[in-house]
Structures are given as C-alpha cells and as structure tokens.
Amino acid sequence: MINTQVATREMFLADLVNQCSKLEVANGKGSAYGLQDLRDAATEYVLAASFPTVRDEEWRFTDLSPVLQVPFHVPQSYQSTVKLADIVMPVKNRDDLPLRLVFVNGFYAPDLSTVNLPDFYAGNLSNVPEKYRSRITDVLSKHKQQTEVFTALNTAGLADSAVVFVPANVSVERPIHLLFLTATGASATMCQPHCSIIAEAGSKVTLIEDYSTIGNLPAFTNAVTDVFVGENATVNHVRLQRETLNVVHIGKSAIEQSRNSSYTCHAISLGGKISRHNLEVFQRGEGTETNLNGLTVAFGEQLADTHSLIDFNHPHGTSKQLHKCIVGNKARAVFNGKVFVRKAAQLTDAGQLSRNLLLSPRARVDTKPQLEIVADNVKCSHGATVSQLEDDELFYLQSRGLDLERSRYLLIDAFAAEILDKLPIVAVAKMLSTCMAIQA
C-alpha cells in the first residue's frame, strides 16, 4: 500500500522542481557562472531527498505539513505591476536607505531600485561587471554539494540573484537595502530569492536584508544568502523578516569569515505563519570575530524557528550570541544554537545566551543552547532563561499612572531594546518597536 503522506511530499517537491526547470537562467548569461550544471545537480538532489517532518531531529518542533496543502505557483519572469508607492518601507524617510535593490518574486526590479555605484557593485547576477564574474562563480560553486533540501530547491530554481561586491579596502558609507518582495497575484506564489555578498580584504559594508509581502494569498518564500567576509573586512548585516501571516518563510544564511574579519548579524523575525531561519557561520581563519543578535516576536498562532551554528576551526576566534524571543497568545518559538569548537581552535572565546519572554499561559518556547568542544584551552559559556512579565513591575508602572496595556508594552519594549539598540540604523529600530506595540 502506498503511503499517501510520503507520496504527497514527493509530489510537492517534484512539482516545484518541474516549475523551476522552466525558468530562464540569468537572462541567458547563466553559462558565465555554470548555473545550469548547478541547477541540474540540485534538481537531482531534491528529487532524491525527503521533505522534512517532525520525525527529523532538526525539524521536530516545526511542522511543515500545512505547506503541502497549497498548490504554489513559481513565477517564470519579472512581470509584476508593483509600484514603489505600494511598498511599505522599514523607514519613514526613504533617504535613510538611499541605496536600494528590489527583487520581486526573486527577479530584479530595476525600476524600483536606486543604487549609486562609485566604488562597488550592487545589482543582479546578469549585470555583474566582467572583472568580478570569476569571484561570483567561486561563490556560487559552493552549492555544488548540497546537504539540505530547501537550499537545494533554491539552487534548482536559481534564475537571478542579488549581488553585492565590495572590492578590497573600500568602505561603503551608507547601508545597502536589499528588499525581497513576495507578490501574490491570482494564485498562491512561491519565490526563491538568492543573494551573494562578497566583502573583499579590508572592506566594510552594512546591509539590510529585508523580506516583505504584497498580496493576501498564501505564499512560500525560500531564501538563500551567501556572505563571504575577507581578511580584515567588516560586515554589519541586518536580516529583517516582516512578511504577512499567510506566508511560510524558510531562510538560509551561510557565512564564511577569513582571518581577522568581523561579522555581525542582527536577525529580526516578526512575520510569517511559519518561519525558519538557518544561520551558519564558519570561521576560516585566526582572530575571527562573530556577533549574532537575534529577536523573534511571535503572536497569534505563529511558529518561529531559529537554528544557528558557529563553527570554530582556528585559534583566537571569538563569538558572542544573544537570542531573544517574545511569544504571546498561542504562538510558539524555537531556538537551537550550536557552537562547535574543533581541536585546532585553541584559545576560543565563545558566549551564547537564549532569553525568552512568554506573555500568555498558552505561549510556548523550546530553547536549546548547545556547545560541542574538542579543544582544551578555551573559554566558552551558554545559558537559557524563560520568564514572564513580573506582577510587581506591572503594579509599579500602574501606580505611576500608566494603564495595564501601556505598562505591558513598556516592559516588552525594554526586553527587546537590548537587541534593537544594537541595530546600525536607528530608524529601523524605531519601526520595529512600533510594530511590536501593535502586535502586543
């Protein structure tokens, strides 16, 4: 007898791969990057792989079965009627983020983008200058060996990509806003944004990777971002997921750091019916610094899952990770943070903390900080806390004339401020604080 659940999962992946196979490769310029070979290998992997279930250890808290009930359509080209006025920006004053790349359903939208390129490149794959193409090919070739089905699915449909290339010793003074829109039309939509970020030796750049939605139909966003931080380079990376509650969002961020480089990620998750962010950082040289700041806000019946990995393989590496979850109503948050310290990574200094705030009796959080240490001369720590709003703190604020609703918000905002205050753009932090006030 055929297992109908297994058959449904297999048919779901096969249908998406079939739609992806019809996508035109980078406006006919894919051969310059060997994209078709990458896509063929990824397609083969997906068709042989299994769709994750709660029986898989890495997915045991995140049930993706609702995704299988929706017949998603993969747009074949950029044919959107989206206008700039339709886009809800993360800042009130658009001049706060003047460098903007917009992708709609995974395709570059030049009419919605504004980028000045004096010393660096920010654009899409088909327009990369010839002098940078070999480096981009090296980045994309990392996907020859697939180990995870959704990353492979993204590669199987790789038709376009956001590209930011900062040459050696160039400092980009203004933040670059990478806006990825999922726009639903007459049917449920699946889009697969891809982003390649390369900061060469001694360079410096700040990026806002922003996911938003236009439309009311169900949508599925499957995003992959590769970040390569060169020797002595600095990358400040804000990842903002603010999609609507009819969206399933799965994102992969893969970071490689060279010697004496610094990478900071501020990962903020507010939206989505189901969301999952896989954040993997690989330290490829000595004296590497990694800072991960995460904030998940989930209300209603949202499910928000964050899995992170920091892999140390060289001496004198450091990392600091703080992840916070604010969970209300019947929502659920998941955090699994892994730190691997390999034998060669002597004198590593790694700290990890998961702090969680539950706002209702039915809210739930599953948190698992995790250290695996082989080296013998290290300084590593981890911990987790789960708490609720304190009655005496609420009483104190109310005794000063604030009503209960305002008192609750102030305490919630104070809990989130430790993350929001670290954001490199103050206007974005203010917007996020306002969004939390509306949800809370």
Side-chain angles (χ1 to χ4, degrees):
M1 180 178 294
I2 296 176
N3 186 320
T4 56
Q5 291 184 337
V6 172
T8 299
R9 296 195 294 268
E10 291 177 346
M11 288 189 295
F12 178 83
L13 290 174
D15 175 63
L16 293 179
V17 164
N18 180 56
Q19 293 187 63
C20 289
S21 68
K22 300 175 183 177
L23 290 166
E24 183 181 358
V25 180
N27 293 330
K29 296 184 180 180
S31 58
Y33 308 101
L35 287 191
Q36 195 57 57
D37 290 340
L38 290 177
R39 285 173 49 147
D40 291 344
T43 295
E44 184 177 349
Y45 179 92
V46 173
L47 293 177
S50 299
F51 189 89
T53 74
V54 292
R55 294 182 179 181
D56 299 305
E57 178 62 25
E58 291 295 302
W59 292 88
R60 65 192 183 103
F61 295 122
T62 302
D63 182 9
L64 293 177
S65 59
V67 178
L68 303 174
Q69 312 305 316
V70 182
F72 290 105
H73 166 69
V74 179
Q76 298 295 304
S77 62
Y78 175 53
Q79 297 177 342
S80 174
T81 58
V82 174
K83 297 180 176 58
L84 194 58
D86 300 328
I87 302 173
V88 178
M89 299 290 283
V91 292
K92 289 185 177 180
N93 182 4
R94 294 174 187 264
D95 292 337
D96 289 331
L97 295 174
L99 306 181
R100 182 178 63 249
L101 287 179
V102 181
F103 285 72
V104 179
N105 293 335
F107 296 95
Y108 182 48
D111 53 316
L112 303 177
S113 303
T114 305
V115 182
N116 184 17
L117 309 172
D119 303 311
F120 63 97
Y121 176 76
N124 70 326
L125 194 60
S126 61
N127 293 313
V128 172
E130 179 102 19
K131 59 182 177 180
Y132 299 147
R133 287 185 182 176
S134 63
R135 188 70 177 95
I136 303 300
T137 301
D138 292 341
V139 172
L140 294 174
S141 68
K142 302 291 183 180
H143 294 286
K144 286 182 179 178
Q145 298 296 324
Q146 297 290 343
T147 58
E148 191 273 324
V149 65
F150 291 112
T151 304
L153 183 59
N154 181 283
T155 305
L158 183 54
D160 205 351
S161 176
V163 177
V164 175
F165 189 102
V166 185
N169 301 315
V170 171
S171 180
V172 182
E173 298 300 329
R174 292 185 174 184
I176 302 173
H177 183 203
L178 305 170
L179 178 58
F180 298 100
L181 293 173
T182 300
T184 60
S187 60
T189 300
M190 178 186 184
C191 78
Q192 301 200 92
H194 187 276
C195 183
S196 297
I197 299 166
I198 302 173
E200 296 279 72
S203 65
K204 185 175 182 180
V205 65
T206 296
L207 303 138
I208 313 293
E209 181 185 354
D210 183 11
Y211 294 91
S212 187
T213 316
I214 294 178
N216 298 316
L217 291 178
F220 180 15
T221 302
N222 180 35
V224 172
T225 297
D226 297 311
V227 182
F228 290 82
V229 191
E231 186 173 336
N232 294 306
T234 299
V235 173
N236 205 345
H237 181 195
V238 178
R239 188 184 194 277
L240 175 56
Q241 192 275 107
R242 55 188 180 103
E243 294 174 304
T244 55
L245 296 181
N246 52 6
V247 176
V248 173
H249 179 101
I250 295 177
K252 169 74 169 289
S253 301
I255 292 85
E256 290 197 13
Q257 293 185 248
S258 299
R259 184 173 182 269
N260 293 329
S261 66
S262 175
Y263 172 77
T264 299
C265 181
H266 314 271
I268 314 295
S269 178
L270 301 178
K273 177 182 179 181
I274 300 173
S275 64
R276 166 75 171 243
H277 182 212
N278 298 307
L279 173 58
E280 299 178 355
V281 182
F282 300 91
Q283 294 196 352
R284 304 298 196 195
E286 293 186 24
T288 307
E289 178 186 2
T290 304
N291 299 288
L292 304 182
N293 304 306
L295 177 63
T296 295
V297 181
F299 286 88
E301 297 184 354
Q302 287 179 274
L303 191 161
D305 183 348
T306 298
H307 272 56
S308 69
L309 163 69
I310 306 175
D311 190 328
F312 292 86
N313 202 21
H314 291 80
H316 301 285
T318 65
S319 72
K320 291 182 175 61
Q321 181 175 20
L322 173 61
H323 191 89
K324 289 192 169 188
C325 296
I326 301 171
V327 192
N329 306 118
K330 295 187 290 183
R332 183 175 185 176
V334 179
F335 172 73
N336 181 246
K338 299 177 183 177
V339 176
F340 292 161
V341 184
R342 303 184 187 274
K343 188 173 183 178
Q346 303 294 334
L347 300 173
T348 288
D349 184 352
Q352 182 186 76
L353 179 60
S354 166
R355 296 188 61 198
N356 306 279
L357 181 63
L358 300 183
L359 302 179
S360 80
R362 302 184 69 179
R364 180 173 176 179
V365 63
D366 296 282
T367 180
K368 185 183 178 183
Q370 183 177 340
L371 289 176
E372 294 187 22
I373 303 172
V374 180
D376 53 17
N377 185 9
V378 300
K379 179 182 178 182
C380 297
S381 63
H382 66 164
T385 64
V386 180
S387 60
Q388 299 174 333
L389 295 178
E390 297 291 340
D391 289 339
D392 56 348
E393 293 177 346
L394 289 170
F395 175 78
Y396 175 82
L397 291 174
Q398 288 178 278
S399 70
R400 294 299 185 269
L402 299 177
D403 59 25
L404 177 60
E405 181 178 348
R406 181 62 177 169
S407 299
R408 279 171 48 86
Y409 167 68
L410 286 178
L411 293 176
I412 294 169
D413 189 56
F415 181 83
E418 190 174 3
I419 300 296
L420 298 182
D421 288 349
K422 299 177 187 293
L423 295 181
I425 298 93
V426 175
V428 174
K430 289 182 178 178
M431 180 277 293
L432 295 173
S433 180
T434 301
C435 288
M436 287 196 306
I438 294 172
Q439 288 181 287

